[in-house]
Amino acid sequence: MSNERPKTKHMPKQKFGFSKPEYIPTTVGEAIKLESQEPSLNLIVQFKNKDSENDTTGPPINISQNVTTEQLQMLINSLLNNDEQLPYSFFVNDQEITNNLKNHLEGLSDETTLSIYYQPQAVFRVRPVTRCASSMSGHTEAVLNCAFSPDGKGFVSVGGDTTVRIWDIYTSTPTHTLKGHTNWVLQVAWSPDSKKIATAGMEGDIRIWCPQTGKQLGSTLKGHTKFITGLSWEPFHLNPKCVRLASSSKDSTIRIWDTESCKNLMSLSGHTMSVTCVKWGGEGLIYSGSQDRTVRVFNTTDGRLVRVLDGHAHWVNTLALNTDYVLRTGSYDHTGKEYDTLEEAQRVALERYNDVKAKSKGMEILISGSDDFTVIMWNPSVTKTSISRLTGHQQLINLVSFSPDGRYFASASFDKSIKLWDGQSGKFLGNFRGHVGAVYQVCWSSDSRYLVSGSKDSTLKIWDIKTKKMEKELPGHADEVYTVDWSPDGDRVASGSKDRLLRILMESIGIHCNGCWKEIIENDRCIITSCSHIFCDLCASNKLCTDDRLCPICDNSLLSKDSLFGTTIDSSIEKNILLFGLSPKKILLMAEKAIEFFNYQTSVYLQSYIYQAQQSMNQFEQLKKSNEELIFKIESLEKQLKLQKDDGENDKREIVELTEKLAEKTRQKRKLEELYLSLKDNIKNNNINNNNNNNNLNNSTFENGNISINNLITNKNNINNQNNNTNNNNNNNNNNNNNIIKPPTYGFKLNQSGYLSRNSPTQNRQINGINNIKSNYRSPSFCSSPITVKHSGVHQQQQQQQQQQKPQKIIQQNENMAPPKNLSTSFVLSTPKKPISNDKFSFIHKSTPSSKKGIN
């Protein structure tokens, strides 16, 4: 190989804004051919720290242009005297070296020293998720937001069903369902110490919850008049007790709350339109973006406005700080380590915060995304002048997010793309395209090597930051993906969708079951046969647990010691050599391994049978228990049925008795009606006879105003005889007309039921006066003047005795004559115009037919 300078045609051509992709050989032959075609060139390089460009590391070194990134890492570790090999990334002219150095030398002279900037990467490495570990249902409306706890052990989700759900990430089951909100729950935020959860909803209220007990802490924080758009806790290194919370609302205000006393400490105003987002910075400043196109900076000690950042031409939708990740996690790293005292945890949190700031030249950088399709970088704690204005998106920017190390940030837009930018200079680094719908959410892995995005097209995509390519596409949701979060330990990705489901995604080991092609992950039970086929636990129990134990793929006996990779060693060695292309020694070595595996497989089968037997016993016990419960329920139901049957028989007997009583009452009622009608006819006939008798008495007994006692007695006997004849005739008429009851002609009419009814309201008074009329009836109607009678003293004594006995008889007779209460009757009777006094003519009343016979 010569050290001649390569010709111009061998130099990579570069277009504006794009660099020539590196050619990476895939085989050894291609690598040798590439090395022979391109002459090598030695360069003098100087290593510099990207975080502090003025500091050089080691002396200038003469290296080859074909040096790889692995060789550069070994070189920088030796220059820094690191005990362990730490990962680094290398840059030339702000371009990262992904494979070797030769593709980054265009326009550089071999006589100048090339500066290579190195930057330490995360010591731990997060492996990208590749499959859905669980799909968690429970929300009855769309899942609007979700978040992992800073220690990576908790997970919470909120949705449109007004509930907050805390989940166990290891079993994928809900531990608590928190109810209290009356409208959609829009925002959720964990405190940096993982001991509190703040949620806010459409009704404008904020609630603080305890994740261990699932109960609300204190009272509801009320003050906002419209829905909440953002929540942000005070950083852990400023206050390890995590007491204060900032909230932004559509009512154009920002409020700072004391979560222990549940009081509003201060209200920050100044925005003229809705506040869309809020961030609590690590320097004690609060940043708020609004639809009034401004970003305002407030001091949290007195609520004073520090400065206003103008620059956007439309609504400010989103804000992000380069220290967001360390402010969210506090003292927790990817291991979730906890500290004994708050002071120690606060010190660790402060160190992490300062480390991230040091990577950005000691600045806390703020970026804002707007509806004007642009992103602006600010240094808000120092000046209101923007660092750079970044363009490129073709639609509104929905979200911006810094990487955990603060070196990159990504912007998601409604133009279906994600753009990657340099976190210090704002230089465009790459474009991620693949979604077919608007990109709603992006989230970084904790090692800053991968990015996950959720879109309107119902898919999640994993992007590799180093290669600028899509690593994995993860479909599965049935509708738009609204929220995405990556756990701080890097093991899980959670996504929430409009389909009301939460999905937990994890990394797999790339092995699939040969039976159902299910992807097998770590800690999954599986069976590997002697013919090198792998089956999951379910397929092994269904397909392999047979008497002959034949592999369903290759149909070879699993218990045969001669079984080897699907081929039986029953022929010559030469045949096996032709089949495998291996030496006989290698085949015999593989056969020995197969025999070893046979022993292992036998033990696995035994364990599988034992496990199945235990499961069967557990199922038997459960069935037995459920059978006993069913028998007990059947017996109790039979007892209840018997009791109900007895109650039914008693009810039937009671119904028969009540029916008989009702029939008896009906018969009595009819008898009373018949008796009443007969009595009415008797009274009518008696009145007619009495009038006739009275006329005869008037002609025969009254002469010159005097009455003879003998004549009265004689008339009395005649009247009694006539009344007896009349009663006999009436009885005969009643017997003949029992089946036909005609309504009375005086004041009566029949209603629809066949009973008598009254004709006018005055009939009540007439009916009530019947008994009085009968009892007060003293003499015929012709007696219109006082009558004087001469009698002896003996007769006068008899008369007084009769007057003392007469009222009792009259009362009894009136009670017997009273009509039934349930009959509707009316009478119109004529009474004498001038009734005769009881004192003067009591003897006439004694001899009156109506008082003696008509009543009986």
Side-chain angles (χ1 to χ4, degrees), residues 697-708 711:
L697 182 64
N698 188 20
N699 293 327
S700 61
T701 57
F702 285 83
E703 295 178 357
N704 297 325
N706 295 322
I707 293 177
S708 176
N711 290 334

Side-chain angles (χ1 to χ4, degrees), residues 150-295:
D151 59 1
K153 300 177 182 178
F155 179 66
V156 64
S157 63
V158 298
D161 57 359
T162 72
T163 63
V164 181
R165 293 177 181 267
I166 301 175
W167 304 83
D168 186 347
I169 60 175
Y170 302 105
T171 60
S172 301
T173 56
T175 57
H176 302 288
T177 300
L178 316 179
K179 297 181 180 180
H181 288 283
T182 58
N183 209 330
W184 296 353
V185 188
L186 302 176
Q187 303 295 328
V188 61
W190 286 82
S191 62
D193 59 356
S194 300
K195 295 181 180 179
K196 297 177 184 176
I197 300 174
T199 58
M202 282 284 289
E203 73 274 12
D205 296 341
I206 302 172
R207 298 174 185 270
I208 310 297
W209 311 89
C210 176
Q212 284 76 26
T213 61
K215 296 182 179 180
Q216 183 175 346
L217 300 176
S219 59
T220 306
L221 307 181
K222 295 180 178 290
H224 287 293
T225 57
K226 294 184 179 180
F227 65 84
I228 311 296
T229 58
L231 295 174
S232 183
W233 286 89
E234 185 178 11
F236 188 83
H237 67 272
L238 296 179
N239 185 4
K241 295 183 180 179
C242 302
V243 175
R244 294 196 294 176
L245 174 71
S247 63
S248 61
S249 173
K250 188 176 171 60
D251 61 6
S252 306
T253 63
I254 302 102
R255 293 179 181 268
I256 300 177
W257 308 87
D258 188 334
T259 58
E260 289 184 352
S261 61
C262 300
K263 293 182 179 179
N264 182 17
L265 299 179
M266 59 185 73
S267 179
L268 310 177
S269 60
H271 287 290
T272 59
M273 294 182 70
S274 171
V275 183
T276 56
C277 50
V278 63
K279 294 289 181 181
W280 198 317
E283 297 181 357
L285 299 175
I286 286 182
Y287 311 102
S288 61
S290 171
Q291 291 182 356
D292 61 6
R293 301 175 296 174
T294 63
V295 178

Side-chain angles (χ1 to χ4, degrees), residues 723 840 852:
N723 287 335
K840 294 181 179 181
K852 196 170 185 180

Side-chain angles (χ1 to χ4, degrees), residues 421-433:
W421 314 84
D422 185 86
Q424 297 182 14
S425 62
K427 184 179 179 180
F428 174 73
L429 299 179
N431 199 1
F432 299 141
R433 290 191 177 274

Side-chain angles (χ1 to χ4, degrees), residues 127-132 434-435 450-454 459-464 467 469-475 486 505-508 510 512 519:
R127 290 176 292 187
V129 296
T130 56
R131 60 109 191 177
C132 177
H435 285 292
Y450 296 98
L451 182 73
V452 62
S453 60
T459 64
L460 277 77
K461 292 183 179 357
I462 307 294
W463 308 92
D464 191 337
T467 61
K469 295 180 181 179
M470 184 176 67
E471 182 74 17
K472 189 73 176 178
E473 183 177 7
L474 302 168
W486 206 317
L505 300 105
M506 297 179 65
E507 185 242 348
S508 65
H512 298 267
E519 196 168 15

Side-chain angles (χ1 to χ4, degrees), residues 307-560:
R307 56 183 57 88
V308 179
L309 309 179
D310 291 320
H312 284 292
H314 212 296
W315 296 349
V316 179
N317 294 327
T318 177
L319 296 176
L321 291 168
N322 61 339
T323 57
D324 272 343
Y325 184 79
V326 294
L327 295 179
R328 170 191 170 184
T329 57
S331 61
Y332 295 103
D333 57 4
H334 65 283
T335 62
K337 180 181 178 181
E338 296 185 359
Y339 299 92
D340 298 333
T341 61
L342 286 177
E343 291 76 10
E344 186 179 1
Q346 185 178 11
R347 178 183 57 79
V348 173
L350 182 59
E351 290 177 357
R352 297 183 67 210
Y353 172 75
N354 292 331
D355 290 342
V356 174
K357 281 184 62 177
K359 296 176 183 178
S360 301
K361 301 178 182 179
M363 296 186 299
E364 189 174 48
I365 298 176
L366 176 73
I367 55 175
S368 57
S370 170
D371 270 13
D372 61 3
F373 311 163
T374 64
V375 178
I376 298 180
M377 296 183 67
W378 313 87
N379 186 11
S381 60
V382 178
T383 178
K384 64 179 182 180
T385 305
S386 62
I387 298 175
S388 61
R389 182 185 181 90
L390 314 178
T391 60
H393 282 292
Q394 299 176 358
Q395 290 190 31
L396 64 90
I397 296 172
N398 187 53
L399 184 74
V400 291
S401 178
F402 262 102
S403 62
D405 58 7
R407 292 170 181 168
Y408 310 101
F409 70 87
S411 58
S413 171
F414 275 27
D415 62 5
K416 309 172 187 177
S417 69
I418 304 166
K419 294 186 182 297
L420 184 67
W421 314 84
D422 185 86
Q424 297 182 14
S425 62
K427 184 179 179 180
F428 174 73
L429 299 179
N431 199 1
F432 299 141
R433 290 191 177 274
H435 285 292
V436 295
V439 183
Y440 290 155
Q441 290 283 322
V442 294
C443 187
W444 290 83
S445 63
S446 54
D447 64 348
S448 303
R449 290 187 175 94
Y450 296 98
L451 182 73
V452 62
S453 60
S455 170
K456 184 180 179 180
D457 61 8
S458 75
T459 64
L460 277 77
K461 292 183 179 357
I462 307 294
W463 308 92
D464 191 337
I465 302 303
K466 186 175 182 179
T467 61
K468 311 295 188 300
K469 295 180 181 179
M470 184 176 67
E471 182 74 17
K472 189 73 176 178
E473 183 177 7
L474 302 168
H477 281 293
D479 213 326
E480 305 176 10
V481 180
Y482 286 154
T483 177
V484 172
D485 194 21
W486 206 317
S487 63
D489 56 8
D491 292 340
R492 295 170 179 83
V493 171
S495 62
S497 170
K498 189 179 178 181
D499 62 2
R500 300 172 291 179
L501 292 179
L502 283 162
R503 290 168 64 86
I504 302 295
L505 300 105
M506 297 179 65
E507 185 242 348
S508 65
I509 58 178
I511 300 176
H512 298 267
C513 173
N514 292 122
C516 61
W517 293 103
K518 172 187 174 183
E519 196 168 15
I520 298 174
I521 63 169
E522 294 181 4
N523 301 325
D524 277 356
R525 291 175 59 87
C526 61
I527 300 297
I528 302 175
T529 65
S530 60
C531 49
S532 74
H533 290 126
I534 186 169
F535 297 93
C536 64
D537 191 19
L538 182 61
C539 291
S541 60
N542 294 336
K543 297 182 179 181
L544 302 181
C545 295
T546 57
D547 295 335
D548 50 1
R549 297 199 182 177
L550 296 178
C551 177
I553 304 299
C554 59
D555 293 334
N556 285 321
S557 176
L558 300 178
L559 298 180
S560 174

Side-chain angles (χ1 to χ4, degrees), residues 65-82:
Q65 68 167 357
N66 292 325
V67 66
T68 62
T69 54
E70 290 79 6
Q71 293 171 343
L72 291 175
Q73 286 184 8
M74 293 175 62
L75 185 59
I76 193 63
N77 277 292
S78 62
L79 292 175
L80 294 175
N81 298 322
N82 293 330

